[in-house]
Amino acid sequence: NGASDIWLYGTRRSTRNRLTVHPYTEATPVWLASGEAVLYFSDKERRPDIFMKSLDESEGPSLVLGTEGLEFPMDVSPDGGLLLYATDESGTLGQSMDLWVLEMDRPEEKRPFVTAPESQYHARFSPDGRWVAYTSVETGRPEVWLKPFPGPGRSIQISTEGGRLPRWAPDGSTLYY
């Protein structure tokens, strides 16, 4: 049926625990900075919305963001206060993704971060929270870009022969893609 769930893998004891058990597609998990909960998208409402589930199992998943578009969590700021997410308000699943920021304690406070006719996705905050690395197809193929956070400032292309899935070294000194 194409459904998927979120699993947790314990690296110390090689344990696996299923965090979600539903007949829906649930994917793109992102840890909260505290490590106490996971954000993910679920299509249980017939479109991808962002949900949060606590690891202590005391409560079921709660809706964090749901609109008429498609939303996918990308990263949480190092201080845990902001969610960086990709959204496609056209509903075409990835044809025109933009990056937005949402205040975790005030979900009604959301704002665009990178918008363009081309798609932006795979976004990650730098460990100090001063930069966002992301993938864009602005040049006609996926490339990795950097933009100062929260701005202002223009985006800087990092890769030159294709790149995607940027990840920061824990100390922020290196960007892998």
Side-chain angles (χ1 to χ4, degrees), residues 20 31-32 39 46 56 71 78 85 89 93 138 158 166:
T20 62
W31 287 101
L32 283 185
L39 296 161
R46 304 267 186 234
D56 68 12
E71 291 88 27
Y85 67 98
E89 294 187 7
L93 194 55
E138 182 176 327
I158 299 300

Side-chain angles (χ1 to χ4, degrees), residues 89-107:
E89 294 187 7
S90 72
T92 57
L93 194 55
Q95 299 301 309
S96 182
M97 302 290 289
D98 291 318
L99 297 176
W100 282 62
V101 177
L102 173 135
E103 292 190 28
M104 293 294 293
D105 59 349
R106 296 186 310 172

Side-chain angles (χ1 to χ4, degrees), residues 10 24 31 51 103 121 134 146-147 163-164:
Y24 319 112
W31 287 101
F51 289 82
E103 292 190 28
Y121 48 91
Y134 63 95
L146 279 180
K147 184 170 181 166
R164 62 181 76 191

Side-chain angles (χ1 to χ4, degrees), residues 14-35:
S14 297
T15 58
R16 293 184 326 149
N17 294 303
R18 197 178 213 164
L19 184 66
T20 62
V21 182
H22 301 109
Y24 319 112
T25 298
E26 295 169 323
T28 68
V30 174
W31 287 101
L32 283 185
S34 67

Side-chain angles (χ1 to χ4, degrees), residues 1 3-8 17-26 40 42 44 53 57 60-61:
N1 69 3
S4 62
D5 284 307
I6 307 293
W7 288 77
L8 302 174
N17 294 303
R18 197 178 213 164
L19 184 66
T20 62
V21 182
H22 301 109
Y24 319 112
T25 298
E26 295 169 323
Y40 59 92
S42 174
K44 77 182 214 173
K53 179 140 192 222
E57 303 284 333

